[in-house]
Amino acid sequence: MIAQLKIGSDTLKRFQSLIALLILCTILSFMTDKFFTADNGLNVLRQIAVNICIATGMTLIVLTAGIDLSVGSVLALCGAVTVGLLRNGVEIPAGDLFVGFTLLGAILGGLLCGWLLGWFNGFAITKFNVPPFVATLAMLTIARGFTMLYTKGHPISNLGKEFAFIGSGSFLGIPVPVWIAAIVVLLAVFITQKTKMGRYIYAIGGNEQAAKLSGININRVKITVYSFAGALAALGGIIVTARLDSAQPNAGMSYELDAIAAVVIGGTSLSGGKGSVWGTVMGAVIIGVLNNGLVLLNVSPFWQQVVKGGVILLAVIIDKAGERRD
Amino acid sequence: MLVAKNISKKFSGVTALSNVNLELRPGKVNAIIGENGAGKSTLMKILSGVHTQYEGEIVFKDKVVKFTNTKEAEEAGIAIIHQELNLVPYLSVAENIFLGRELINWLNMVDRKQMREKANALLQRLNLNIDPDTKIAELKVGQQQLVEIAKALYTNAEVIIMDEPTSAISDKEVEQLFAIINQLKADGKTIAYISHKLKELFSIADRFVVLRDGTTVDAGDMNSVTQDELIQKMTGRQLNLQKSGKLISNAEELMTVKNISLKHPLLRFTNILTNVSFTLHKGEILGVYGLMGAGRTELMECIFGLHPKNSSGEIKMKGKSCKIKTPADAIAAGIALVPEDRKLHGLILNQNIKTNISLTVLKQIEKWGLLLSTKKEKNLADNYISRLAIKTSSDKNLAKNLSGGNQQKIVLAKWLATHPQILLLDEPTRGIDINAKAEIYKLMKTLADEGMGIIMVSSELPEILAVSDRVLVMCEGELTASIPIDEATEAGILTYAIYKNELTA
């Protein structure tokens, strides 16, 4: 009997964010009939797709007991670089060369840019022992500065139908950004649950010393994780840019906070080693539903922020209370 | 002055002290002597209010006292200077001396001027010519120790307990410290001096108390005993485990270690290890004994590639020179290390048994070089759970929920899974119950019979004698002896562990 109860509370804990989400949805369905519709569902998913991409990368970093504050700026810079490549190509003055980019080429260029920025974060953190908070805080400013330099402070607009399709198009009735986010999540779930790399990530976050003694190349794993998160931020940047049909120099401001919020609400421990990508997806959906519901209920944007903050705090308090019971 | 009567103390069922009696005489330096784990530190922690749960009574100045925290002990006049100093590195000397009892002026603000003056007076008393505004981090270890003494003087401590005060300081600083101890003695202070450096004790201590296995063995005047007698008292056990080692003569050489040295990461010109050389043969169990700070753990870490920057020397595997710069190199060379602290370095406590065991061999359980095979992993884990008799209901139980012995078996399992030729075991039986100990000894014998070379670091002499085929003894970073098991005795080993220079044979 006691054993059964214990299993019950374990299951409860594992699905606590899902249960919270269901309760939230039920309440909102009763409060407004605009909430529980297919259109609104897709709307919510489209809105959170970018956050899911970023927060997935953030999850892997947080699992290693790190953090990445630079994702918002990396998103802006890589979005701008992608459309810059697409529209203007690269001119190499020395050889009087001009390199043009196809849509796919430009996207790959943007992702590579994100990968390199993330790699640089990881490099500073592992080789020079800079705390992740500081290294990525520096990158937050650096990448934003480069975005301003690259765009000269002006938006780059009119990017063509093909590119806009990435942000606003639909495939089989489902928005393209949602497809992209789904693929990102599946990939990250695969990596964390099924591969060596995933084990290494959890091991480093769980006990870095033990992981090191087990022969794991800690630095290489960390650099890879930061690079991957950088590339996912770039992907988010491409989606945002395509959706607005314009690369904004101040795109992605404070997106890192939404991503961290999703990770935390999803039950991943900031001290590393504990949590999951699925949890983060739940966290992102909870934030999305909450935003959407509050808008539908005509709650003032100022109150929306207060509520969001309260939910983050509540999620962590519930999590900690669960830990103490163990 | 200070008398402890029939003190007993248990840690989660394991007896650390049983009926210890101790008398600290006023105005004397009282040496407290014993092997690692004899209970010296535990006893001192009880006297200074760190441990508050114990049986027996403490009489201080003819009154029974029972401290509930260190502050109470301090106020009563007992100060302890721990082996690891308790100073805040980025505060000044004066700020550290007055930490928690800052002087304040009429505005209720910290009175820096007065603190500086008083600190200066205390430092002068100790002949320490430093500015009280100096940050602790800028001082040498020896000077930091004197700051701790200044702190004790400020609280008007009558009893000052020093735990291994000379373990990290140079000879010159030792002289300085002794001069100050003599001065404190002249002022009527009572000193309790914990050390296992016997030579040092003969020049500073007036009285001795010997602890062994948690009980008092003997006490008396320092000038009434000889060093050999003290060693005898420290080791003379009634109960001896049977030696089971064999003599290895012409076996194949597995690993030869030549001139391994390790520089101290902070102190220049100081070595943690100096020119350590030895050979490990196939099927041999090599016991490594040494007192605290002898460098045993560091030697294992050097071999395992954990000090690539500060270490030098050569490692040959089966005659071939081998560069080991990381644990991955060591594993590839066929070496495994079961570390001293299994919770800190061996296990991921929040993960289950299965993932802990497979961590070192994830490559072997991959399918198509890409994804991990759940089936192969389960087989691997279940194989070791049954082979090592790990007591658990499932391979999915978390490592943190198991007993010490079973946790140690998981660490062994994860390393045996790599099929090593050489197994380094650092204190493999620390903190585990007798049955698990016996099982681990048996396992070591089996592995050695299969041809594995084993190096076991241990602080327990009976264990060293019971399991080893040959005993290496270390003292202050140097190898002082290599003794075949049939010639090894507790007293002999301990002598080499205590003296570095006189007896090197």
Side-chain angles (χ1 to χ4, degrees), chain A residues 190 193-197 199-217 220 272-274 326, chain B residues 304 306 327-328 331 337 339 343-348 350-351 355 358-360 362-363 366 370-372 374 377 400 414-415:
Chain A
F190 177 77
Q193 301 305 318
K194 295 284 173 200
T195 70
K196 232 168 34 194
M197 188 65 177
R199 285 299 175 79
Y200 291 167
I201 290 170
Y202 278 96
I204 290 172
N207 185 345
E208 186 164 330
Q209 285 303 314
K212 185 178 168 190
L213 260 78
S214 299
I216 296 171
N217 188 335
R220 198 163 67 199
K274 248 166 123 179
D326 288 352
Chain B
F304 202 62
L306 284 165
I331 295 167
L337 169 69
K343 289 185 180 171
L344 223 55
H345 298 128
L347 291 169
I348 299 166
N350 274 324
Q351 291 189 1
T355 43
S358 65
L359 189 60
T360 48
L362 288 177
K363 265 201 187 98
E366 269 182 327
L370 180 66
L371 67 161
L372 301 172
T374 330
E377 183 173 35
K400 67 174 171 191
K414 85 182 227 193
W415 286 111

Coordinates of all heavy atoms in Angstrom, one line a residue, chain A residues 190 193-197 199-217 220 272-274 326, chain B residues 304 306 327-328 331 337 339 343-348 350-351 355 358-360 362-363 366 370-372 374 377 400 414-415:
Chain A
F190 N 16.3 12.9 -28.7 CA 17.1 11.7 -29.2 C 18.5 11.8 -28.6 O 19.0 10.9 -28.0 CB 17.1 11.7 -30.7 CG 18.0 10.6 -31.3 CD1 17.6 9.3 -31.3 CD2 19.3 10.9 -31.7 CE1 18.4 8.3 -31.8 CE2 20.1 9.9 -32.2 CZ 19.6 8.6 -32.3
Q193 N 18.4 11.3 -24.7 CA 18.0 10.0 -24.2 C 18.7 8.8 -24.8 O 18.8 7.8 -24.1 CB 16.5 9.9 -24.4 CG 15.6 10.9 -23.7 CD 15.9 11.1 -22.2 OE1 16.1 10.1 -21.5 NE2 16.0 12.3 -21.8
K194 N 19.2 9.0 -26.0 CA 19.6 7.8 -26.7 C 21.1 7.8 -27.0 O 21.6 6.7 -27.5 CB 18.8 7.7 -28.0 CG 17.4 7.4 -27.8 CD 17.1 6.0 -27.4 CE 15.6 5.8 -27.1 NZ 15.4 4.6 -26.3
T195 N 21.8 8.9 -26.8 CA 23.2 8.8 -27.3 C 24.2 9.0 -26.1 O 23.8 9.5 -25.0 CB 23.5 10.0 -28.3 OG1 23.4 11.2 -27.6 CG2 22.5 10.0 -29.4
K196 N 25.5 8.7 -26.4 CA 26.6 8.9 -25.5 C 26.6 10.3 -25.1 O 26.8 10.6 -23.9 CB 27.8 8.6 -26.3 CG 28.7 7.6 -25.7 CD 29.8 7.1 -26.6 CE 30.3 8.1 -27.6 NZ 31.1 7.5 -28.7
M197 N 26.5 11.2 -26.1 CA 26.6 12.7 -25.8 C 25.6 13.0 -24.7 O 25.9 13.8 -23.7 CB 26.3 13.4 -27.1 CG 26.5 14.9 -26.9 SD 28.3 15.2 -26.7 CE 28.3 16.9 -26.6
R199 N 24.3 11.2 -22.3 CA 24.8 10.6 -21.0 C 25.9 11.5 -20.5 O 25.9 11.8 -19.3 CB 25.3 9.2 -21.2 CG 24.3 8.2 -21.4 CD 23.4 8.1 -20.1 NE 22.3 7.2 -20.4 CZ 22.4 5.9 -20.3 NH1 23.5 5.4 -19.9 NH2 21.4 5.2 -20.5
Y200 N 26.8 12.0 -21.4 CA 27.9 12.8 -20.9 C 27.3 14.1 -20.3 O 27.8 14.6 -19.3 CB 28.8 13.1 -22.0 CG 29.6 11.9 -22.5 CD1 30.3 11.9 -23.7 CD2 29.7 10.7 -21.8 CE1 31.1 10.8 -24.1 CE2 30.4 9.6 -22.2 CZ 31.1 9.7 -23.4 OH 31.8 8.6 -23.8
I201 N 26.3 14.7 -21.0 CA 25.7 15.9 -20.5 C 25.2 15.7 -19.1 O 25.5 16.5 -18.2 CB 24.6 16.4 -21.5 CG1 25.3 16.8 -22.8 CG2 23.8 17.5 -20.9 CD1 24.3 17.1 -23.9
Y202 N 24.4 14.7 -18.9 CA 23.8 14.5 -17.6 C 24.9 14.2 -16.6 O 24.8 14.6 -15.4 CB 22.8 13.3 -17.6 CG 21.4 13.7 -18.1 CD1 21.1 13.5 -19.4 CD2 20.5 14.2 -17.3 CE1 19.8 13.9 -19.9 CE2 19.2 14.6 -17.7 CZ 18.9 14.4 -19.0 OH 17.6 14.8 -19.5
A203 N 25.9 13.4 -17.0 CA 27.0 13.0 -16.1 C 27.7 14.3 -15.6 O 28.0 14.4 -14.4 CB 27.9 12.1 -16.7
I204 N 28.0 15.2 -16.5 CA 28.8 16.4 -16.2 C 28.0 17.2 -15.2 O 28.5 17.7 -14.2 CB 29.1 17.2 -17.4 CG1 30.2 16.4 -18.2 CG2 29.6 18.6 -17.1 CD1 30.5 17.0 -19.6
G205 N 26.7 17.4 -15.5 CA 25.9 18.2 -14.6 C 25.6 17.5 -13.2 O 25.5 18.1 -12.2
G206 N 25.6 16.1 -13.2 CA 25.4 15.4 -12.0 C 26.6 15.4 -11.1 O 26.5 15.5 -9.9
N207 N 27.8 15.2 -11.6 CA 29.0 15.3 -10.8 C 30.2 15.4 -11.8 O 30.7 14.4 -12.4 CB 29.1 14.0 -10.0 CG 30.3 14.0 -9.1 OD1 31.2 14.9 -9.2 ND2 30.4 13.1 -8.1
E208 N 30.6 16.6 -12.0 CA 31.7 16.9 -13.0 C 32.9 16.2 -12.7 O 33.6 15.7 -13.6 CB 31.9 18.4 -13.1 CG 32.9 18.8 -14.2 CD 32.8 20.2 -14.6 OE1 31.8 20.9 -14.4 OE2 33.9 20.7 -15.0
Q209 N 33.3 16.1 -11.4 CA 34.5 15.4 -11.0 C 34.5 13.9 -11.4 O 35.4 13.4 -11.9 CB 34.8 15.5 -9.5 CG 35.2 16.9 -9.1 CD 36.5 17.3 -9.8 OE1 37.4 16.5 -9.9 NE2 36.5 18.5 -10.3
A210 N 33.4 13.3 -11.0 CA 33.2 11.9 -11.3 C 33.2 11.7 -12.8 O 33.8 10.7 -13.3 CB 31.9 11.3 -10.7
A211 N 32.6 12.6 -13.6 CA 32.6 12.5 -15.0 C 34.0 12.6 -15.6 O 34.4 11.8 -16.5 CB 31.7 13.6 -15.6
K212 N 34.8 13.5 -15.0 CA 36.2 13.7 -15.5 C 37.0 12.4 -15.2 O 37.7 11.9 -16.1 CB 36.8 14.9 -14.7 CG 38.1 15.2 -15.2 CD 38.7 16.4 -14.5 CE 40.1 16.6 -14.7 NZ 40.7 17.6 -13.8
L213 N 36.8 11.9 -14.0 CA 37.6 10.6 -13.7 C 37.1 9.4 -14.5 O 37.8 8.5 -14.6 CB 37.4 10.3 -12.2 CG 38.6 10.8 -11.4 CD1 38.6 12.2 -11.1 CD2 38.7 10.0 -10.1
S214 N 35.9 9.5 -15.1 CA 35.5 8.4 -15.9 C 36.0 8.5 -17.3 O 35.6 7.7 -18.2 CB 33.9 8.4 -15.9 OG 33.4 8.2 -14.6
G215 N 36.9 9.5 -17.6 CA 37.5 9.6 -18.9 C 36.8 10.5 -19.9 O 37.1 10.5 -21.0
I216 N 35.7 11.2 -19.4 CA 35.0 12.0 -20.3 C 35.7 13.3 -20.6 O 36.2 13.9 -19.6 CB 33.6 12.3 -19.7 CG1 32.8 11.0 -19.6 CG2 32.8 13.3 -20.6 CD1 31.5 11.2 -18.8
N217 N 35.8 13.7 -21.8 CA 36.4 15.0 -22.2 C 35.4 16.1 -21.9 O 34.7 16.5 -22.8 CB 36.9 15.0 -23.6 CG 37.7 16.2 -24.0 OD1 37.6 17.2 -23.3 ND2 38.6 16.0 -25.0
R220 N 35.3 19.2 -24.3 CA 34.7 19.0 -25.6 C 33.2 18.9 -25.5 O 32.5 19.5 -26.3 CB 35.3 17.7 -26.2 CG 35.1 17.6 -27.7 CD 36.0 16.6 -28.3 NE 35.6 15.3 -27.9 CZ 36.3 14.2 -28.0 NH1 37.5 14.3 -28.5 NH2 35.9 13.0 -27.6
G272 N 22.1 21.6 -12.5 CA 22.6 20.6 -13.4 C 22.2 19.2 -13.1 O 21.9 18.8 -12.0
G273 N 22.3 18.3 -14.2 CA 22.1 16.9 -14.0 C 20.7 16.4 -13.9 O 20.5 15.2 -13.9
K274 N 19.8 17.3 -13.7 CA 18.4 16.8 -13.5 C 17.4 17.6 -14.4 O 17.5 18.8 -14.4 CB 18.0 17.1 -12.1 CG 17.8 15.8 -11.3 CD 17.7 16.2 -9.8 CE 16.5 15.8 -9.1 NZ 16.5 16.2 -7.7
D326 N 12.0 13.9 -0.7 CA 12.8 12.7 -1.0 C 13.7 12.3 0.2 O 14.4 13.0 0.7 CB 13.8 13.1 -2.2 CG 13.0 13.2 -3.5 OD1 11.8 12.9 -3.4 OD2 13.5 13.6 -4.5
Chain B
F304 N 47.1 8.3 -13.1 CA 45.9 8.3 -13.8 C 45.7 9.6 -14.7 O 44.7 9.8 -15.3 CB 44.7 8.2 -12.8 CG 43.4 7.7 -13.4 CD1 43.4 6.4 -13.9 CD2 42.3 8.5 -13.4 CE1 42.2 6.0 -14.5 CE2 41.1 8.0 -14.0 CZ 41.1 6.8 -14.5
L306 N 45.8 12.9 -13.8 CA 45.0 14.0 -13.3 C 45.8 15.2 -13.0 O 45.3 16.3 -12.7 CB 44.3 13.6 -12.1 CG 43.0 12.7 -12.3 CD1 42.6 12.0 -11.1 CD2 41.9 13.5 -12.9
P327 N 42.6 11.3 -17.9 CA 42.1 10.0 -17.5 C 41.8 9.1 -18.7 O 41.9 7.9 -18.6 CB 40.8 10.4 -16.7 CG 41.1 11.7 -16.2 CD 42.0 12.4 -17.2
A328 N 41.3 9.8 -19.8 CA 41.0 9.0 -21.0 C 42.3 8.2 -21.5 O 42.2 7.0 -21.9 CB 40.5 9.9 -22.1
I331 N 42.8 5.3 -19.2 CA 41.8 4.2 -19.4 C 42.3 3.4 -20.7 O 42.3 2.2 -20.7 CB 40.4 4.7 -19.6 CG1 40.0 5.4 -18.2 CG2 39.4 3.7 -20.0 CD1 38.7 6.2 -18.4
L337 N 41.0 3.7 -11.9 CA 41.2 4.3 -10.6 C 39.9 4.3 -9.8 O 38.9 5.0 -10.2 CB 41.7 5.7 -10.7 CG 41.8 6.5 -9.4 CD1 42.8 6.0 -8.4 CD2 42.1 8.0 -9.7
P339 N 38.5 6.0 -6.8 CA 39.0 7.1 -6.0 C 38.7 7.0 -4.6 O 37.8 6.2 -4.1 CB 38.3 8.3 -6.7 CG 37.1 7.8 -7.3 CD 37.4 6.4 -7.7
K343 N 31.7 9.3 -3.1 CA 30.6 10.2 -3.3 C 31.0 11.5 -4.2 O 30.2 12.0 -5.0 CB 30.0 10.7 -2.0 CG 29.3 9.6 -1.3 CD 28.6 10.0 -0.1 CE 27.9 8.8 0.5 NZ 27.3 9.1 1.9
L344 N 32.2 12.0 -3.9 CA 32.7 13.2 -4.6 C 33.2 12.9 -6.0 O 33.0 13.6 -6.9 CB 33.7 13.8 -3.7 CG 33.7 15.3 -3.5 CD1 32.3 15.7 -3.0 CD2 34.8 15.8 -2.6
H345 N 33.9 11.7 -6.1 CA 34.7 11.5 -7.3 C 34.3 10.2 -8.1 O 34.6 10.0 -9.2 CB 36.2 11.5 -7.1 CG 36.7 12.7 -6.5 ND1 37.5 12.8 -5.4 CD2 36.6 14.0 -6.9 CE1 37.8 14.1 -5.1 NE2 37.2 14.8 -6.1
G346 N 33.5 9.3 -7.4 CA 33.3 8.0 -8.0 C 31.9 7.9 -8.6 O 31.8 7.3 -9.7
L347 N 30.9 8.5 -8.0 CA 29.5 8.2 -8.4 C 28.8 9.5 -8.8 O 29.2 10.6 -8.4 CB 28.8 7.6 -7.2 CG 29.1 6.2 -6.8 CD1 28.5 5.9 -5.5 CD2 28.7 5.2 -7.8
I348 N 27.8 9.3 -9.6 CA 26.8 10.4 -9.8 C 25.6 10.0 -9.0 O 24.8 9.1 -9.3 CB 26.5 10.5 -11.3 CG1 27.8 10.9 -12.0 CG2 25.4 11.6 -11.5 CD1 27.7 10.8 -13.5
N350 N 22.8 11.1 -8.0 CA 21.4 11.2 -8.4 C 21.0 10.4 -9.6 O 19.9 10.5 -10.1 CB 21.1 12.7 -8.7 CG 20.7 13.4 -7.5 OD1 20.0 12.9 -6.6 ND2 21.1 14.7 -7.4
Q351 N 22.0 9.6 -10.1 CA 21.6 8.7 -11.2 C 21.6 7.3 -10.7 O 22.0 6.9 -9.6 CB 22.7 8.8 -12.3 CG 22.6 10.2 -13.0 CD 23.5 10.3 -14.2 OE1 24.1 9.3 -14.6 NE2 23.5 11.4 -14.9
T355 N 23.2 3.5 -15.1 CA 23.9 4.6 -15.8 C 25.3 4.8 -15.1 O 26.2 5.2 -15.8 CB 23.1 5.9 -15.8 OG1 22.5 6.1 -14.6 CG2 22.0 5.8 -16.8
S358 N 27.6 2.0 -16.5 CA 27.9 2.1 -18.0 C 28.7 3.3 -18.4 O 29.2 3.4 -19.5 CB 26.6 2.0 -18.8 OG 25.8 3.1 -18.6
L359 N 28.8 4.3 -17.5 CA 29.4 5.6 -17.9 C 30.8 5.4 -18.5 O 31.2 6.2 -19.4 CB 29.5 6.5 -16.7 CG 29.9 7.9 -17.0 CD1 28.9 8.6 -17.9 CD2 30.0 8.7 -15.7
T360 N 31.6 4.5 -18.0 CA 33.0 4.4 -18.6 C 33.1 3.6 -19.9 O 34.1 3.6 -20.5 CB 33.9 3.6 -17.6 OG1 33.2 2.4 -17.1 CG2 34.2 4.5 -16.3
L362 N 30.4 3.5 -22.5 CA 29.3 3.8 -23.3 C 29.5 3.4 -24.8 O 28.6 2.9 -25.5 CB 28.9 5.3 -23.2 CG 28.2 5.7 -21.9 CD1 28.0 7.2 -21.9 CD2 27.0 4.9 -21.7
K363 N 30.8 3.5 -25.2 CA 31.1 3.1 -26.6 C 30.8 1.6 -26.8 O 30.3 1.3 -27.9 CB 32.6 3.3 -26.8 CG 32.9 4.6 -27.5 CD 34.2 4.6 -28.2 CE 34.6 6.0 -28.7 NZ 35.5 6.7 -27.8
E366 N 27.0 0.8 -27.7 CA 26.3 1.5 -28.8 C 25.9 0.6 -29.9 O 26.6 -0.4 -30.1 CB 27.3 2.6 -29.3 CG 27.2 3.9 -28.7 CD 28.1 5.0 -29.3 OE1 29.2 4.6 -29.8 OE2 27.7 6.1 -29.4
L370 N 25.9 4.8 -32.9 CA 25.1 6.0 -32.8 C 24.2 6.0 -31.5 O 24.4 6.9 -30.6 CB 24.2 6.2 -34.0 CG 23.3 7.4 -34.0 CD1 24.1 8.7 -34.1 CD2 22.3 7.4 -35.2
L371 N 23.3 5.1 -31.4 CA 22.5 5.1 -30.2 C 22.8 4.0 -29.2 O 23.3 3.0 -29.5 CB 21.0 5.2 -30.5 CG 20.3 3.9 -31.1 CD1 18.8 4.0 -31.0 CD2 20.6 3.9 -32.6
L372 N 22.5 4.3 -27.9 CA 22.8 3.4 -26.9 C 21.8 2.3 -26.8 O 20.6 2.5 -27.0 CB 22.8 4.1 -25.5 CG 23.8 5.3 -25.4 CD1 23.6 6.1 -24.1 CD2 25.2 4.8 -25.5
T374 N 19.7 -0.2 -24.9 CA 19.1 -0.4 -23.6 C 19.4 -1.8 -23.1 O 19.7 -2.0 -22.0 CB 17.6 -0.1 -23.6 OG1 17.3 0.8 -24.6 CG2 17.1 0.4 -22.3
E377 N 23.0 -2.4 -22.2 CA 23.3 -1.7 -21.0 C 22.8 -2.5 -19.8 O 23.5 -2.6 -18.8 CB 22.7 -0.3 -21.0 CG 23.1 0.5 -19.8 CD 22.6 2.0 -19.9 OE1 21.6 2.2 -20.5 OE2 23.3 2.8 -19.3
K400 N 22.5 7.1 -4.7 CA 22.6 7.7 -3.3 C 21.8 6.9 -2.3 O 22.0 7.1 -1.1 CB 22.0 9.1 -3.4 CG 20.6 9.3 -3.7 CD 20.1 10.7 -3.6 CE 18.7 10.9 -4.2 NZ 18.3 12.3 -4.3
K414 N 32.0 -0.2 -12.4 CA 32.2 0.7 -13.6 C 33.6 0.7 -14.1 O 33.8 0.9 -15.2 CB 31.7 2.1 -13.3 CG 32.7 3.1 -12.6 CD 32.0 4.4 -12.4 CE 32.9 5.5 -12.8 NZ 32.4 6.8 -12.4
W415 N 34.5 0.4 -13.2 CA 35.9 0.3 -13.6 C 36.3 -1.1 -14.1 O 37.0 -1.2 -15.1 CB 36.9 0.7 -12.5 CG 36.8 2.2 -12.4 CD1 36.3 2.9 -11.4 CD2 37.2 3.1 -13.4 NE1 36.3 4.3 -11.7 CE2 36.8 4.4 -12.9 CE3 37.7 3.0 -14.7 CZ2 37.1 5.6 -13.7 CZ3 37.9 4.2 -15.4 CH2 37.6 5.4 -14.9

